[in-house]
Amino acid sequence: MSDNFLWKEGLNATPDDAWTRMEGPRGLWAIYQNAGVMMEMAGYAARNCPDVDLVLVATLRSDAMQIRLCVLMGLAQYGFTQASEGVRINAYRAADMYSSMAARMTQLLQENAAVVLPDFVAAM
């Protein structure tokens, strides 16, 4: 839903486009699960990288919690009203926050994982 999502924040889609591209509640659930994985990755970095940017890690954790809350609200709304405008807007917000979090996670990996994951960082 965005160009070069690993490098820049923000979406290039409308709420209706985002809802369609994410396949509605299926995509929201994937965002929920992936936000949890990114939260675990941030925690791993905090525990295992002595030079990690703790502000970035805290931001990633906060992002993940906000994304998960937004997704749960969107799924609850969807359960009551199907794909109303409010549901699509919540889905868009979750996808936008997710895009921003993916960019920050890329930053974390670039700054701290070069020794552990050199092939991954080089591929980015």
Side-chain angles (χ1 to χ4, degrees):
M1 286 185 267
S2 68
D3 296 329
N4 300 314
F5 74 95
L6 290 177
W7 307 113
K8 75 182 200 188
E9 300 177 22
L11 301 180
N12 295 338
T14 66
D16 291 333
D17 291 339
W19 183 255
T20 301
R21 289 182 189 176
M22 72 173 57
E23 299 179 14
R26 171 190 257 170
L28 278 177
W29 187 246
I31 288 172
Y32 179 89
Q33 291 177 315
N34 289 342
V37 170
M38 285 195 222
M39 192 167 32
E40 289 178 28
M41 290 171 68
Y44 180 86
R47 289 187 306 275
N48 296 293
C49 297
D51 299 329
V52 72
D53 181 349
L54 295 178
V55 172
L56 180 58
V57 170
T59 301
L60 286 166
R61 287 178 174 158
S62 175
D63 288 348
M65 291 307 297
Q66 288 179 38
I67 289 166
R68 292 182 124 202
L69 276 170
C70 192
V71 166
L72 290 176
M73 286 177 18
L75 289 173
Q77 282 179 315
Y78 180 78
F80 291 110
T81 63
Q82 295 301 306
S84 71
E85 184 176 351
V87 172
R88 291 190 305 271
I89 289 172
N90 263 340
Y92 181 84
R93 285 183 188 142
D96 188 47
M97 287 188 287
Y98 182 80
S99 171
S100 298
M101 185 179 183
R104 282 190 280 286
M105 184 57 71
T106 300
Q107 178 186 351
L108 178 73
L109 289 171
Q110 284 180 315
E111 292 172 359
N112 298 288
V115 175
V116 179
L117 304 169
D119 295 333
F120 177 76
V121 175
M124 297 172 69

